[in-house]
Amino acid sequence: MTFFKTSIASLVFAAASVCNAASVHIVFDNPIFNGSGSDNVTIKFANQNGIGSTTEYVAAGRFQGTGSNVVGVPTSIFVDGLNDLYMYCYDVFESISSGQAVDYTINLNGEKARTLDFLGAVNSVLSVGKTYDPYAWLHPLNASQGAAIQLGIWESLYDTSSTWSMANGAFQAWDLDGGTNTWLGKFFDKIDTTASLDGKYVMTFEARGAQDMIAGDPPANVPEPASVALVGLGLAGIAAMRKRRLQA
């Protein structure tokens, strides 16, 4: 009986693992900040090993690319379509370059709570005077907004203190343009008075050897037909094993 239970668990796990494997191939635009622009800033962040820190001069802004070869999720999961794939860097320890192609794993639950706090504030600010848009953060109107959103996302990811600041903490940034600094201040000021963005509107793209990304995700996504079929195969296998067991 123990073997029977173990086999059922193995089949269920295998079917679930395959169904959860979602991926997308992304080719980044050249220029990579196409459509929104960027701000060149200096950032400082703690090293992954917890010893010391790294200071780098980087471009901050919204990234753009084209997606293809989607596996495990419907193409409707991409807010603006595969030809206009908007995202922000969610990893400062690796790099990405204009025109680079990356195969990403899609994680529907890869964001941190602090990131959702920040994005909720961004959406609140950018939706003033119009209907609230849960994807406003993906559509900055200029380079200053895009750079401020990117910096706030890095702050949410690498600084765990209750204070939101580019001047103090585990993540810091300076040499910001005046417009970037102004927008960042507006976003930070709203964090304590606005609701966090619901995690169902966010997903992350993860890969070794390339920067992870964070992007928008429409809710109420359903599995691809192939994934549903795999679940059916797993259940059919379980039924067959039970029948053989009863006949033995």
Side-chain angles (χ1 to χ4, degrees):
M1 194 65 172
T2 301
F3 171 77
F4 179 57
K5 289 182 177 178
T6 302
S7 298
I8 291 177
S10 298
L11 275 172
V12 173
F13 177 78
S17 296
V18 174
C19 292
N20 288 335
S23 61
V24 61
H25 179 78
I26 297 177
V27 178
F28 288 87
D29 283 6
N30 189 4
I32 203 166
F33 299 109
N34 186 24
S36 59
S38 62
D39 183 9
N40 294 324
V41 302
T42 303
I43 62 174
K44 180 180 179 181
F45 50 92
N47 294 329
Q48 281 183 299
N49 60 11
I51 302 174
S53 62
T54 296
T55 299
E56 291 185 351
Y57 186 62
V58 300
R62 187 201 66 188
F63 293 75
Q64 186 166 327
T66 300
S68 63
N69 300 336
V70 179
V71 174
V73 291
T75 55
S76 59
I77 198 172
F78 304 99
V79 177
D80 298 286
L82 288 170
N83 291 328
D84 292 308
L85 195 53
Y86 303 133
M87 60 211 127
Y88 292 87
C89 169
Y90 209 51
D91 164 26
V92 297
F93 298 112
E94 299 199 74
S95 61
I96 205 77
S97 58
S98 297
Q100 185 173 346
V102 182
D103 290 315
Y104 281 109
T105 296
I106 300 172
N107 187 344
L108 300 179
N109 299 292
E111 74 284 348
K112 286 192 173 185
R114 281 188 98 239
T115 304
L116 297 176
D117 291 344
F118 174 71
L119 295 182
V122 172
N123 289 339
S124 177
V125 172
L126 297 185
S127 295
V128 170
K130 49 191 173 183
T131 303
Y132 177 81
D133 180 5
Y135 305 110
W137 63 283
L138 289 174
H139 307 123
L141 299 180
N142 51 55
S144 295
Q145 284 185 359
I149 295 168
Q150 176 64 91
L151 288 167
I153 288 174
W154 282 335
E155 165 80 2
S156 75
L157 187 59
Y158 296 111
D159 198 333
T160 58
S161 70
S162 59
T163 301
W164 294 78
S165 170
M166 291 290 108
N168 302 290
F171 179 85
Q172 300 176 29
W174 57 94
D175 297 330
L176 283 63
D177 285 346
T180 300
N181 198 54
T182 297
W183 281 108
L184 198 55
K186 290 181 179 180
F187 298 149
F188 283 171
D189 287 345
K190 276 288 185 179
I191 291 175
D192 291 335
T193 59
T194 56
S196 302
L197 179 63
D198 193 318
K200 67 185 179 183
Y201 294 110
V202 176
M203 61 181 167
T204 58
F205 303 143
E206 301 167 358
R208 289 187 176 183
Q211 283 181 334
D212 294 347
M213 295 285 153
I214 185 167
D217 168 27
N221 288 299
V222 296
E224 286 284 326
S227 298
V228 175
L230 285 169
V231 173
L233 287 173
L235 294 176
I238 292 171
M241 290 180 62
R242 180 181 290 113
K243 183 177 180 180
R244 286 198 299 270
R245 181 69 180 178
L246 292 173
Q247 291 174 345

